[in-house]
């Protein structure tokens, strides 16, 4: 699926130790590779993304590497198997 990498989200915080942990806590998944297609780096951060298209403007978290996370504003093609976890703490770790 295609997602859009969001820019300037480092000030957005939650109660988990990191956004990567936030993703792990709610996804019931573990990944050994960055979920961006073709990338084999170890996922070290929880990246904020939006679905492409205007129907759903919510922010979600996916486990990706620093390099992919640094591609601000770009569209990324990620594996369909990954669970998108809401970055809205009212729905998750409130
Ligand atoms: Zn959290
Ligand atoms: Zn990557």
């Amino acid at each position: 699926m295609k997602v859009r990498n969001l820019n300037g989200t480092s000030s957005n915080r939650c109660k988990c130790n990191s956004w990567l942990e936030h993703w792990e806590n709610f996804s019931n998944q573990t990944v050994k590779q960055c979920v961006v297609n073709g990338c084999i780096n170890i996922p070290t951060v929880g990246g904020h993304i939006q679905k492409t298209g205007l129907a759903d403007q919510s922010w979600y978290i996916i486990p990706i590497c620093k390099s992919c996370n640094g591609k601000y504003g770009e569209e990324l093609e990620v594996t369909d198997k990954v669970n998108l976890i809401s970055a809205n703490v009212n729905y998750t770790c409130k």
Side-chain angles (χ1 to χ4, degrees), residues 1 23 27 29 31 35 61-63 78-84:
M1 77 188 113
W23 179 84
S27 68
Q29 290 182 315
V31 289
V35 296
I61 303 295
I62 55 171
V78 303
T79 173
D80 289 337
K81 290 184 203 129
V82 66
N83 285 332
L84 302 182

Side-chain angles (χ1 to χ4, degrees), residues 17-87:
N17 283 329
S18 68
W19 285 110
L20 183 58
E21 263 185 47
H22 177 90
W23 179 84
E24 286 170 346
N25 288 345
F26 295 98
S27 68
N28 295 315
Q29 290 182 315
T30 50
V31 289
K32 295 189 173 65
Q33 276 184 1
C34 174
V35 296
V36 175
N37 285 352
C39 183
I40 56 163
N41 292 335
I42 294 166
T44 51
V45 294
H48 288 69
I49 57 98
Q50 276 179 318
K51 293 176 182 172
T52 56
L54 297 173
D56 184 355
Q57 295 284 294
S58 312
W59 288 13
Y60 295 96
I61 303 295
I62 55 171
I64 59 176
C65 70
K66 272 227 163 73
S67 160
C68 291
N69 194 41
K71 295 174 181 168
Y72 296 132
E74 286 186 32
E75 286 192 358
L76 303 172
E77 186 73 40
V78 303
T79 173
D80 289 337
K81 290 184 203 129
V82 66
N83 285 332
L84 302 182
I85 302 303
S86 177

